[in-house]
Amino acid sequence: MANFLIEGENRIGGELPIHGAKNAALPILAAALLTRRSVLHNCPDLSDVRAAAHILEHLGCTVEREGDTVIVESDDGVYCDIPDGLMREMRSSVVFLGAILTRCGRARVSFPGGCELGPRPIDIHLASLERMGVNIKEDHGDLDCTIDGKMVGTELNLPFPSVGATENILLAAVLAEGTTVIHNAAREPEIQDLAGFLTAIGAKIHLKNDGTIVVEGVETLLPEVEYRVIPDRIATATYLCAAAATGGELLVTKTEPEYLAAVLPMFEEMGCQVKTGPDLIYLKGPRRLRPVRMVRTMPYPGFPTDAQAPFMALSTLAQGTSVFVENIFESRYKHAAELMRMGARIKVEGRVAVVEGVPALHSAQVRCTDLRGGAALCIAALAAAGVSRVSDIAHIERGYERLEEHLSSLGAKITRE
Ligand code: UD1
């Protein structure tokens, strides 16, 4: 795997347009199976998006990219199986399950498997699909899903507002017989974007403010669609963290401040100046960061778990103690041990991490443990004295488009090795 060499103590500043949201693009690419031709603008060029394209191609679609536009054609016969190798290429491949079932009436996939964030069960996905009339047979890690006739709409109460499960249910419900009601559905902007895409192809979806989603099954969907993917809120937060950690001044454009309503106040609490416009965010980092009293990760509209690691990197440099409580994933502090190699003081106890800020970090050899943890290491390395080597950056490339190019344009000294 490739590495980044980062020479720290250079301010991150300037202007940066944000790419489209990975977590919106992936389910929308799966949803492209439900129409003949999808033209998707603002579709980020990331390894996870390429993995989704490989799955679509394996299923019989053609996928072409022109700049940030991806065109998916799925007019011929579509296969209903995803082999294990492709399922493992991307953890969120399971979101293809609902789309394949709707398109083919059968789906054969393997379990997406555990991952660097701890076990990633799909019991809510499977139980919901079963309630909608899907027969699921499990055999040695493979899932064979079949339907007698059509999937049927029903009332579902999710035990947790799982993003992936909500997406799979939406994809299954749009052409199901009757109405599907999802109580305690996920409300992330990426869910709204998938619903927006499905609505654009003729689905009838009502997103209610209380977290309930009502889907009235329709008979057919439209054959063509042109759609624009929303901006990536986590990439936005990450670049803002890089500016804040280095005392820089950054204007992020083509983004959506509203999606970061739980995050921007944390920057202010840490002493950053933040201003927002309709599609932009300006941040100026202080000379020395203040600690953040408590970051509790929650389902949207709470503080996103994906921004926890970048904020932890920031808090290592604050004047005082910051506390993190990770409520979404069981094992999402692997970056802490790597940050400690750079001089950070962090104590992890189950779901809680206590970070005692230090005046400065020093360079070190650190290894990316996962996508957002890897981004956190880059932020720390940008602020640290000396040259750090960040290894296993393939994790980072799953979610950040041309990170080194963008950071270089903002004043960072970063090279790929
Ligand atoms: C999505 C995002 C990921 C983000 C996460 C939480 C994508 C591609 N990924 O992941 O970046 O960190 O939302 O915002 O959009 N769970 C179960 N059973 C299930 C499903 C989930 O127990 O059937 C648990 C998971 O183990 C986890 C929690 O629910 O602890 C949240 O998972 P979920 O919301 O489903 O996240 P993903 O869709 O996997």
mmCIF file of all heavy atoms in Angstrom, residues 247-293:
data_model
loop_
_atom_site.group_PDB
_atom_site.id
_atom_site.type_symbol
_atom_site.label_atom_id
_atom_site.label_comp_id
_atom_site.label_asym_id
_atom_site.label_seq_id
_atom_site.Cartn_x
_atom_site.Cartn_y
_atom_site.Cartn_z
ATOM 1 N N GLY A 247 -3.981 26.381 12.498
ATOM 2 C CA GLY A 247 -4.160 27.832 12.649
ATOM 3 C C GLY A 247 -4.391 28.517 11.321
ATOM 4 O O GLY A 247 -4.056 29.684 11.137
ATOM 5 N N GLY A 248 -4.984 27.805 10.368
ATOM 6 C CA GLY A 248 -5.172 28.349 9.023
ATOM 7 C C GLY A 248 -6.515 29.039 8.843
ATOM 8 O O GLY A 248 -7.329 29.135 9.775
ATOM 9 N N GLU A 249 -6.732 29.496 7.613
ATOM 10 C CA GLU A 249 -7.949 30.233 7.275
ATOM 11 C C GLU A 249 -8.460 29.631 5.968
ATOM 12 O O GLU A 249 -7.801 29.742 4.933
ATOM 13 C CB GLU A 249 -7.547 31.699 7.069
ATOM 14 C CG GLU A 249 -8.681 32.652 7.119
ATOM 15 C CD GLU A 249 -8.197 34.107 7.046
ATOM 16 O OE1 GLU A 249 -6.971 34.362 7.097
ATOM 17 O OE2 GLU A 249 -9.050 34.982 6.917
ATOM 18 N N LEU A 250 -9.624 28.986 6.025
ATOM 19 C CA LEU A 250 -10.083 28.211 4.872
ATOM 20 C C LEU A 250 -11.513 28.571 4.499
ATOM 21 O O LEU A 250 -12.366 28.725 5.372
ATOM 22 C CB LEU A 250 -10.010 26.711 5.225
ATOM 23 C CG LEU A 250 -10.438 25.713 4.147
ATOM 24 C CD1 LEU A 250 -9.504 25.751 2.948
ATOM 25 C CD2 LEU A 250 -10.476 24.293 4.724
ATOM 26 N N LEU A 251 -11.745 28.673 3.197
ATOM 27 C CA LEU A 251 -13.108 28.855 2.694
ATOM 28 C C LEU A 251 -13.468 27.596 1.925
ATOM 29 O O LEU A 251 -12.846 27.270 0.914
ATOM 30 C CB LEU A 251 -13.188 30.078 1.764
ATOM 31 C CG LEU A 251 -14.579 30.352 1.202
ATOM 32 C CD1 LEU A 251 -15.535 30.805 2.302
ATOM 33 C CD2 LEU A 251 -14.528 31.417 0.107
ATOM 34 N N VAL A 252 -14.443 26.873 2.431
ATOM 35 C CA VAL A 252 -14.906 25.658 1.766
ATOM 36 C C VAL A 252 -16.140 26.026 0.955
ATOM 37 O O VAL A 252 -17.082 26.615 1.496
ATOM 38 C CB VAL A 252 -15.239 24.573 2.814
ATOM 39 C CG1 VAL A 252 -15.794 23.350 2.139
ATOM 40 C CG2 VAL A 252 -14.000 24.208 3.600
ATOM 41 N N THR A 253 -16.125 25.694 -0.331
ATOM 42 C CA THR A 253 -17.251 26.056 -1.194
ATOM 43 C C THR A 253 -17.955 24.794 -1.704
ATOM 44 O O THR A 253 -17.467 23.681 -1.509
ATOM 45 C CB THR A 253 -16.775 26.892 -2.406
ATOM 46 O OG1 THR A 253 -15.875 26.090 -3.166
ATOM 47 C CG2 THR A 253 -16.073 28.167 -1.978
ATOM 48 N N LYS A 254 -19.060 24.996 -2.375
ATOM 49 C CA LYS A 254 -19.882 23.898 -2.918
ATOM 50 C C LYS A 254 -20.217 22.874 -1.837
ATOM 51 O O LYS A 254 -20.151 21.660 -2.073
ATOM 52 C CB LYS A 254 -19.167 23.212 -4.078
ATOM 53 C CG LYS A 254 -19.015 24.099 -5.287
ATOM 54 C CD LYS A 254 -18.595 23.268 -6.470
ATOM 55 C CE LYS A 254 -18.475 24.110 -7.711
ATOM 56 N NZ LYS A 254 -17.879 23.406 -8.812
ATOM 57 N N THR A 255 -20.517 23.384 -0.637
ATOM 58 C CA THR A 255 -20.867 22.485 0.456
ATOM 59 C C THR A 255 -22.233 22.888 1.000
ATOM 60 O O THR A 255 -22.897 23.748 0.428
ATOM 61 C CB THR A 255 -19.768 22.509 1.537
ATOM 62 O OG1 THR A 255 -20.043 21.486 2.484
ATOM 63 C CG2 THR A 255 -19.689 23.868 2.255
ATOM 64 N N GLU A 256 -22.679 22.251 2.070
ATOM 65 C CA GLU A 256 -23.994 22.571 2.636
ATOM 66 C C GLU A 256 -23.848 22.717 4.151
ATOM 67 O O GLU A 256 -23.797 21.712 4.875
ATOM 68 C CB GLU A 256 -24.982 21.448 2.269
ATOM 69 C CG GLU A 256 -26.365 21.598 2.836
ATOM 70 C CD GLU A 256 -26.978 22.979 2.639
ATOM 71 O OE1 GLU A 256 -27.451 23.263 1.515
ATOM 72 O OE2 GLU A 256 -26.976 23.781 3.604
ATOM 73 N N PRO A 257 -23.753 23.960 4.654
ATOM 74 C CA PRO A 257 -23.547 24.170 6.090
ATOM 75 C C PRO A 257 -24.631 23.526 6.953
ATOM 76 O O PRO A 257 -24.340 23.068 8.062
ATOM 77 C CB PRO A 257 -23.597 25.696 6.244
ATOM 78 C CG PRO A 257 -23.442 26.257 4.888
ATOM 79 C CD PRO A 257 -23.821 25.222 3.898
ATOM 80 N N GLU A 258 -25.850 23.464 6.431
ATOM 81 C CA GLU A 258 -26.955 22.909 7.224
ATOM 82 C C GLU A 258 -26.668 21.472 7.669
ATOM 83 O O GLU A 258 -27.067 21.060 8.754
ATOM 84 C CB GLU A 258 -28.193 22.931 6.337
ATOM 85 C CG GLU A 258 -29.472 23.157 7.097
ATOM 86 C CD GLU A 258 -30.653 23.092 6.141
ATOM 87 O OE1 GLU A 258 -30.814 24.043 5.347
ATOM 88 O OE2 GLU A 258 -31.381 22.078 6.177
ATOM 89 N N TYR A 259 -25.974 20.698 6.826
ATOM 90 C CA TYR A 259 -25.681 19.302 7.180
ATOM 91 C C TYR A 259 -24.711 19.213 8.357
ATOM 92 O O TYR A 259 -24.515 18.141 8.918
ATOM 93 C CB TYR A 259 -25.046 18.554 5.998
ATOM 94 C CG TYR A 259 -25.885 18.458 4.750
ATOM 95 C CD1 TYR A 259 -25.282 18.219 3.517
ATOM 96 C CD2 TYR A 259 -27.273 18.578 4.799
ATOM 97 C CE1 TYR A 259 -26.031 18.118 2.366
ATOM 98 C CE2 TYR A 259 -28.028 18.478 3.643
ATOM 99 C CZ TYR A 259 -27.406 18.253 2.430
ATOM 100 O OH TYR A 259 -28.141 18.152 1.282
ATOM 101 N N LEU A 260 -24.043 20.324 8.677
ATOM 102 C CA LEU A 260 -23.029 20.302 9.728
ATOM 103 C C LEU A 260 -23.473 21.112 10.949
ATOM 104 O O LEU A 260 -22.651 21.609 11.713
ATOM 105 C CB LEU A 260 -21.692 20.821 9.176
ATOM 106 C CG LEU A 260 -21.058 19.862 8.161
ATOM 107 C CD1 LEU A 260 -19.956 20.545 7.369
ATOM 108 C CD2 LEU A 260 -20.483 18.635 8.865
ATOM 109 N N ALA A 261 -24.800 21.208 11.122
ATOM 110 C CA ALA A 261 -25.340 22.032 12.215
ATOM 111 C C ALA A 261 -24.855 21.540 13.582
ATOM 112 O O ALA A 261 -24.733 22.325 14.517
ATOM 113 C CB ALA A 261 -26.861 22.044 12.149
ATOM 114 N N ALA A 262 -24.573 20.247 13.726
ATOM 115 C CA ALA A 262 -24.099 19.740 15.019
ATOM 116 C C ALA A 262 -22.576 19.848 15.139
ATOM 117 O O ALA A 262 -22.024 19.667 16.220
ATOM 118 C CB ALA A 262 -24.520 18.279 15.187
ATOM 119 N N VAL A 263 -21.911 20.125 14.028
ATOM 120 C CA VAL A 263 -20.445 20.090 14.011
ATOM 121 C C VAL A 263 -19.848 21.490 14.125
ATOM 122 O O VAL A 263 -18.878 21.702 14.868
ATOM 123 C CB VAL A 263 -19.959 19.391 12.713
ATOM 124 C CG1 VAL A 263 -18.453 19.475 12.570
ATOM 125 C CG2 VAL A 263 -20.422 17.936 12.695
ATOM 126 N N LEU A 264 -20.430 22.455 13.418
ATOM 127 C CA LEU A 264 -19.842 23.800 13.381
ATOM 128 C C LEU A 264 -19.745 24.433 14.779
ATOM 129 O O LEU A 264 -18.727 25.069 15.093
ATOM 130 C CB LEU A 264 -20.604 24.697 12.398
ATOM 131 C CG LEU A 264 -20.563 24.206 10.933
ATOM 132 C CD1 LEU A 264 -21.317 25.173 10.016
ATOM 133 C CD2 LEU A 264 -19.130 24.027 10.428
ATOM 134 N N PRO A 265 -20.748 24.251 15.673
ATOM 135 C CA PRO A 265 -20.604 24.818 17.022
ATOM 136 C C PRO A 265 -19.398 24.249 17.780
ATOM 137 O O PRO A 265 -18.841 24.921 18.646
ATOM 138 C CB PRO A 265 -21.914 24.435 17.718
ATOM 139 C CG PRO A 265 -22.878 24.187 16.607
ATOM 140 C CD PRO A 265 -22.072 23.645 15.473
ATOM 141 N N MET A 266 -18.995 23.025 17.452
ATOM 142 C CA MET A 266 -17.824 22.423 18.124
ATOM 143 C C MET A 266 -16.549 23.173 17.732
ATOM 144 O O MET A 266 -15.654 23.358 18.540
ATOM 145 C CB MET A 266 -17.689 20.945 17.746
ATOM 146 C CG MET A 266 -18.862 20.102 18.144
ATOM 147 S SD MET A 266 -18.995 19.981 19.938
ATOM 148 C CE MET A 266 -20.451 18.983 20.091
ATOM 149 N N PHE A 267 -16.472 23.570 16.449
ATOM 150 C CA PHE A 267 -15.305 24.359 16.022
ATOM 151 C C PHE A 267 -15.267 25.675 16.807
ATOM 152 O O PHE A 267 -14.214 26.123 17.241
ATOM 153 C CB PHE A 267 -15.394 24.677 14.518
ATOM 154 C CG PHE A 267 -15.013 23.531 13.615
ATOM 155 C CD1 PHE A 267 -15.945 22.944 12.770
ATOM 156 C CD2 PHE A 267 -13.701 23.055 13.588
ATOM 157 C CE1 PHE A 267 -15.589 21.905 11.923
ATOM 158 C CE2 PHE A 267 -13.339 22.016 12.732
ATOM 159 C CZ PHE A 267 -14.292 21.439 11.906
ATOM 160 N N GLU A 268 -16.455 26.274 16.980
ATOM 161 C CA GLU A 268 -16.518 27.559 17.704
ATOM 162 C C GLU A 268 -16.122 27.352 19.164
ATOM 163 O O GLU A 268 -15.371 28.146 19.727
ATOM 164 C CB GLU A 268 -17.921 28.156 17.586
ATOM 165 C CG GLU A 268 -18.159 28.671 16.173
ATOM 166 C CD GLU A 268 -19.549 29.218 15.932
ATOM 167 O OE1 GLU A 268 -20.520 28.596 16.394
ATOM 168 O OE2 GLU A 268 -19.662 30.254 15.269
ATOM 169 N N GLU A 269 -16.599 26.256 19.744
ATOM 170 C CA GLU A 269 -16.235 25.959 21.138
ATOM 171 C C GLU A 269 -14.712 25.826 21.274
ATOM 172 O O GLU A 269 -14.140 26.161 22.301
ATOM 173 C CB GLU A 269 -16.936 24.661 21.565
ATOM 174 C CG GLU A 269 -16.846 24.389 23.049
ATOM 175 C CD GLU A 269 -17.545 23.094 23.462
ATOM 176 O OE1 GLU A 269 -18.531 22.689 22.814
ATOM 177 O OE2 GLU A 269 -17.073 22.485 24.445
ATOM 178 N N MET A 270 -14.072 25.364 20.213
ATOM 179 C CA MET A 270 -12.612 25.175 20.264
ATOM 180 C C MET A 270 -11.858 26.464 19.914
ATOM 181 O O MET A 270 -10.637 26.449 19.784
ATOM 182 C CB MET A 270 -12.207 24.022 19.348
ATOM 183 C CG MET A 270 -12.807 22.695 19.808
ATOM 184 S SD MET A 270 -12.332 21.306 18.784
ATOM 185 C CE MET A 270 -10.809 20.809 19.596
ATOM 186 N N GLY A 271 -12.601 27.538 19.716
ATOM 187 C CA GLY A 271 -11.941 28.837 19.517
ATOM 188 C C GLY A 271 -11.799 29.253 18.065
ATOM 189 O O GLY A 271 -11.133 30.243 17.758
ATOM 190 N N CYS A 272 -12.427 28.506 17.140
ATOM 191 C CA CYS A 272 -12.337 28.869 15.719
ATOM 192 C C CYS A 272 -13.411 29.915 15.407
ATOM 193 O O CYS A 272 -14.470 29.932 16.032
ATOM 194 C CB CYS A 272 -12.586 27.656 14.821
ATOM 195 S SG CYS A 272 -11.434 26.317 15.104
ATOM 196 N N GLN A 273 -13.110 30.730 14.424
ATOM 197 C CA GLN A 273 -14.115 31.655 13.906
ATOM 198 C C GLN A 273 -14.809 30.950 12.739
ATOM 199 O O GLN A 273 -14.108 30.439 11.847
ATOM 200 C CB GLN A 273 -13.360 32.854 13.338
ATOM 201 C CG GLN A 273 -13.805 34.185 13.822
ATOM 202 C CD GLN A 273 -13.087 35.243 13.014
ATOM 203 O OE1 GLN A 273 -13.460 35.518 11.886
ATOM 204 N NE2 GLN A 273 -12.030 35.804 13.591
ATOM 205 N N VAL A 274 -16.122 30.903 12.751
ATOM 206 C CA VAL A 274 -16.844 30.197 11.682
ATOM 207 C C VAL A 274 -17.917 31.122 11.114
ATOM 208 O O VAL A 274 -18.657 31.755 11.876
ATOM 209 C CB VAL A 274 -17.520 28.905 12.228
ATOM 210 C CG1 VAL A 274 -18.281 28.186 11.128
ATOM 211 C CG2 VAL A 274 -16.495 27.969 12.856
ATOM 212 N N LYS A 275 -17.963 31.208 9.795
ATOM 213 C CA LYS A 275 -19.047 31.953 9.139
ATOM 214 C C LYS A 275 -19.588 31.071 8.020
ATOM 215 O O LYS A 275 -18.818 30.324 7.401
ATOM 216 C CB LYS A 275 -18.518 33.252 8.526
ATOM 217 C CG LYS A 275 -18.163 34.302 9.561
ATOM 218 C CD LYS A 275 -17.674 35.557 8.875
ATOM 219 C CE LYS A 275 -16.920 36.433 9.860
ATOM 220 N NZ LYS A 275 -15.951 37.299 9.237
ATOM 221 N N THR A 276 -20.888 31.195 7.776
ATOM 222 C CA THR A 276 -21.460 30.366 6.707
ATOM 223 C C THR A 276 -22.235 31.217 5.712
ATOM 224 O O THR A 276 -22.751 32.277 6.056
ATOM 225 C CB THR A 276 -22.426 29.306 7.287
ATOM 226 O OG1 THR A 276 -23.472 29.980 7.984
ATOM 227 C CG2 THR A 276 -21.741 28.353 8.226
ATOM 228 N N GLY A 277 -22.282 30.748 4.484
ATOM 229 C CA GLY A 277 -23.123 31.329 3.437
ATOM 230 C C GLY A 277 -23.978 30.210 2.895
ATOM 231 O O GLY A 277 -23.915 29.087 3.413
ATOM 232 N N PRO A 278 -24.745 30.464 1.853
ATOM 233 C CA PRO A 278 -25.670 29.433 1.357
ATOM 234 C C PRO A 278 -24.983 28.100 1.035
ATOM 235 O O PRO A 278 -25.478 27.051 1.386
ATOM 236 C CB PRO A 278 -26.257 30.053 0.086
ATOM 237 C CG PRO A 278 -25.950 31.496 0.154
ATOM 238 C CD PRO A 278 -24.814 31.709 1.085
ATOM 239 N N ASP A 279 -23.814 28.132 0.367
ATOM 240 C CA ASP A 279 -23.143 26.865 0.061
ATOM 241 C C ASP A 279 -21.670 26.944 0.433
ATOM 242 O O ASP A 279 -20.825 26.294 -0.174
ATOM 243 C CB ASP A 279 -23.322 26.493 -1.417
ATOM 244 C CG ASP A 279 -22.642 27.484 -2.344
ATOM 245 O OD1 ASP A 279 -22.231 28.564 -1.856
ATOM 246 O OD2 ASP A 279 -22.497 27.185 -3.538
ATOM 247 N N LEU A 280 -21.361 27.759 1.451
ATOM 248 C CA LEU A 280 -19.952 27.854 1.845
ATOM 249 C C LEU A 280 -19.768 27.995 3.340
ATOM 250 O O LEU A 280 -20.655 28.427 4.061
ATOM 251 C CB LEU A 280 -19.248 28.991 1.108
ATOM 252 C CG LEU A 280 -19.975 30.273 0.758
ATOM 253 C CD1 LEU A 280 -19.715 31.292 1.832
ATOM 254 C CD2 LEU A 280 -19.459 30.740 -0.578
ATOM 255 N N ILE A 281 -18.577 27.601 3.768
ATOM 256 C CA ILE A 281 -18.204 27.724 5.182
ATOM 257 C C ILE A 281 -16.792 28.313 5.250
ATOM 258 O O ILE A 281 -15.874 27.834 4.558
ATOM 259 C CB ILE A 281 -18.212 26.355 5.899
ATOM 260 C CG1 ILE A 281 -19.582 25.676 5.766
ATOM 261 C CG2 ILE A 281 -17.857 26.525 7.385
ATOM 262 C CD1 ILE A 281 -19.621 24.254 6.292
ATOM 263 N N TYR A 282 -16.660 29.353 6.061
ATOM 264 C CA TYR A 282 -15.348 29.965 6.286
ATOM 265 C C TYR A 282 -14.928 29.616 7.711
ATOM 266 O O TYR A 282 -15.736 29.685 8.638
ATOM 267 C CB TYR A 282 -15.464 31.485 6.120
ATOM 268 C CG TYR A 282 -14.327 32.260 6.727
ATOM 269 C CD1 TYR A 282 -13.176 32.546 5.987
ATOM 270 C CD2 TYR A 282 -14.377 32.717 8.044
ATOM 271 C CE1 TYR A 282 -12.118 33.249 6.544
ATOM 272 C CE2 TYR A 282 -13.323 33.424 8.608
ATOM 273 C CZ TYR A 282 -12.204 33.690 7.855
ATOM 274 O OH TYR A 282 -11.163 34.375 8.417
ATOM 275 N N LEU A 283 -13.659 29.230 7.872
ATOM 276 C CA LEU A 283 -13.150 28.942 9.215
ATOM 277 C C LEU A 283 -11.760 29.529 9.379
ATOM 278 O O LEU A 283 -10.923 29.421 8.482
ATOM 279 C CB LEU A 283 -13.108 27.428 9.455
ATOM 280 C CG LEU A 283 -12.562 26.976 10.825
ATOM 281 C CD1 LEU A 283 -13.320 25.757 11.337
ATOM 282 C CD2 LEU A 283 -11.060 26.677 10.791
ATOM 283 N N LYS A 284 -11.550 30.147 10.533
ATOM 284 C CA LYS A 284 -10.200 30.629 10.870
ATOM 285 C C LYS A 284 -9.819 29.976 12.198
ATOM 286 O O LYS A 284 -10.569 30.074 13.180
ATOM 287 C CB LYS A 284 -10.230 32.153 10.999
ATOM 288 C CG LYS A 284 -8.861 32.774 11.199
ATOM 289 C CD LYS A 284 -8.959 34.291 11.027
ATOM 290 C CE LYS A 284 -7.608 34.930 10.939
ATOM 291 N NZ LYS A 284 -6.985 35.218 12.178
ATOM 292 N N GLY A 285 -8.699 29.292 12.186
ATOM 293 C CA GLY A 285 -8.255 28.599 13.397
ATOM 294 C C GLY A 285 -7.594 29.573 14.364
ATOM 295 O O GLY A 285 -7.017 30.570 13.935
ATOM 296 N N PRO A 286 -7.673 29.288 15.676
ATOM 297 C CA PRO A 286 -7.043 30.163 16.664
ATOM 298 C C PRO A 286 -5.546 29.840 16.797
ATOM 299 O O PRO A 286 -5.078 28.846 16.248
ATOM 300 C CB PRO A 286 -7.772 29.795 17.946
ATOM 301 C CG PRO A 286 -8.084 28.340 17.773
ATOM 302 C CD PRO A 286 -8.313 28.120 16.304
ATOM 303 N N ARG A 287 -4.828 30.666 17.543
ATOM 304 C CA ARG A 287 -3.402 30.344 17.792
ATOM 305 C C ARG A 287 -3.291 29.067 18.607
ATOM 306 O O ARG A 287 -2.453 28.232 18.360
ATOM 307 C CB ARG A 287 -2.749 31.502 18.546
ATOM 308 C CG ARG A 287 -2.433 32.668 17.621
ATOM 309 C CD ARG A 287 -2.124 33.861 18.425
ATOM 310 N NE ARG A 287 -0.950 33.602 19.248
ATOM 311 C CZ ARG A 287 0.083 34.405 19.317
ATOM 312 N NH1 ARG A 287 0.104 35.511 18.620
ATOM 313 N NH2 ARG A 287 1.104 34.119 20.099
ATOM 314 N N ARG A 288 -4.144 28.925 19.600
ATOM 315 C CA ARG A 288 -4.176 27.677 20.368
ATOM 316 C C ARG A 288 -5.629 27.255 20.536
ATOM 317 O O ARG A 288 -6.474 28.072 20.943
ATOM 318 C CB ARG A 288 -3.515 27.904 21.749
ATOM 319 C CG ARG A 288 -3.493 26.674 22.663
ATOM 320 C CD ARG A 288 -2.280 25.803 22.470
ATOM 321 N NE ARG A 288 -2.451 24.460 22.963
ATOM 322 C CZ ARG A 288 -2.039 24.022 24.141
ATOM 323 N NH1 ARG A 288 -1.428 24.824 24.970
ATOM 324 N NH2 ARG A 288 -2.222 22.756 24.482
ATOM 325 N N LEU A 289 -5.899 26.019 20.251
ATOM 326 C CA LEU A 289 -7.276 25.522 20.325
ATOM 327 C C LEU A 289 -7.713 25.357 21.779
ATOM 328 O O LEU A 289 -6.898 25.023 22.648
ATOM 329 C CB LEU A 289 -7.375 24.170 19.621
ATOM 330 C CG LEU A 289 -7.250 24.200 18.098
ATOM 331 C CD1 LEU A 289 -6.787 22.840 17.582
ATOM 332 C CD2 LEU A 289 -8.601 24.567 17.460
ATOM 333 N N ARG A 290 -9.002 25.547 22.018
ATOM 334 C CA ARG A 290 -9.563 25.217 23.331
ATOM 335 C C ARG A 290 -10.133 23.795 23.245
ATOM 336 O O ARG A 290 -10.437 23.313 22.161
ATOM 337 C CB ARG A 290 -10.691 26.205 23.668
ATOM 338 C CG ARG A 290 -10.206 27.637 23.866
ATOM 339 C CD ARG A 290 -11.240 28.436 24.652
ATOM 340 N NE ARG A 290 -12.491 28.566 23.930
ATOM 341 C CZ ARG A 290 -12.843 29.651 23.241
ATOM 342 N NH1 ARG A 290 -12.029 30.703 23.183
ATOM 343 N NH2 ARG A 290 -13.994 29.702 22.608
ATOM 344 N N PRO A 291 -10.295 23.136 24.392
ATOM 345 C CA PRO A 291 -10.853 21.768 24.325
ATOM 346 C C PRO A 291 -12.343 21.797 24.002
ATOM 347 O O PRO A 291 -12.982 22.844 24.105
ATOM 348 C CB PRO A 291 -10.628 21.238 25.742
ATOM 349 C CG PRO A 291 -10.552 22.453 26.600
ATOM 350 C CD PRO A 291 -9.980 23.556 25.770
ATOM 351 N N VAL A 292 -12.860 20.667 23.605
ATOM 352 C CA VAL A 292 -14.294 20.548 23.384
ATOM 353 C C VAL A 292 -14.810 19.702 24.554
ATOM 354 O O VAL A 292 -14.270 18.634 24.846
ATOM 355 C CB VAL A 292 -14.598 19.943 21.992
ATOM 356 C CG1 VAL A 292 -13.900 18.621 21.750
ATOM 357 C CG2 VAL A 292 -16.071 19.819 21.747
ATOM 358 N N ARG A 293 -15.806 20.249 25.281
ATOM 359 C CA ARG A 293 -16.211 19.576 26.525
ATOM 360 C C ARG A 293 -16.612 18.123 26.276
ATOM 361 O O ARG A 293 -16.131 17.212 26.898
ATOM 362 C CB ARG A 293 -17.388 20.325 27.169
ATOM 363 C CG ARG A 293 -16.981 21.199 28.331
ATOM 364 C CD ARG A 293 -18.052 22.186 28.631
ATOM 365 N NE ARG A 293 -18.299 23.003 27.443
ATOM 366 C CZ ARG A 293 -19.382 23.727 27.236
ATOM 367 N NH1 ARG A 293 -20.340 23.728 28.109
ATOM 368 N NH2 ARG A 293 -19.526 24.443 26.139
#
